[in-house]
Amino acid sequence: MEAALFHDFDNVTSYYGNIPSHPMQSDEHVELYRMRESDRDPMDEDFTAPVNRVCGTTLGYGDVDFFDPRQCRLLAAWLEARLTQPITPRLAEIYRHLLDYARRATQYNTGIVIEL
């Protein structure tokens, strides 16, 4: 489970559909945030369906999807609102990280890949 923030697409050599490939380690082009395997169920329960509705994505359990700049703006708004509600400390930590990535992807005009 991870999220990848693209600083640019200069080092992308292939795509799977609209999903850009990224290296296994962070580098000057991509920043990786790894989540724990134990985060999968809570993320699927709290994140997947509402984010797919808001962002028009198809992320699912054990799946991966790419959020373009427009979707990152929508994701950031959802995360900001969700962080004002009761939430577990671990999900709050993940959501703050994803919020940072979504904001920066919008600024960079790139996107993020999220893998559950």
Side-chain angles (χ1 to χ4, degrees):
M1 291 187 49
E2 68 182 18
L5 164 65
F6 286 82
H7 295 203
D8 57 52
F9 295 116
D10 293 348
N11 209 29
V12 174
T13 57
S14 64
Y15 288 81
Y16 180 75
N18 71 326
I19 302 169
S21 64
H22 59 81
M24 300 301 287
Q25 305 273 341
S26 293
D27 64 18
E28 66 272 9
H29 303 283
V30 178
E31 200 172 321
L32 300 179
Y33 172 65
R34 298 199 195 284
M35 294 168 261
R36 302 177 196 138
E37 190 63 33
S38 61
D39 297 328
R40 188 182 312 268
D41 286 337
M43 286 285 292
D44 187 53
E45 291 169 13
D46 191 75
F47 181 83
T48 304
V51 166
N52 283 340
R53 271 192 306 276
V54 168
C55 298
T57 50
T58 58
L59 189 64
Y61 193 91
D63 196 11
V64 60
D65 208 347
F66 176 69
F67 292 70
D68 65 25
R70 181 191 63 79
Q71 292 166 316
C72 283
R73 280 189 295 280
L74 297 169
L75 176 61
W78 183 86
L79 290 165
E80 288 168 354
R82 183 65 183 98
L83 284 166
T84 66
Q85 303 165 4
I87 191 170
T88 67
R90 178 63 185 153
L91 280 178
E93 178 184 334
I94 293 168
Y95 289 178
R96 282 191 295 274
H97 224 98
L98 292 177
L99 178 57
D100 173 56
Y101 274 21
R103 286 175 175 161
R104 289 196 288 148
T106 300
Q107 177 185 357
Y108 301 156
N109 197 36
T110 56
I112 58 176
V113 170
I114 299 176
E115 179 183 350
L116 291 184

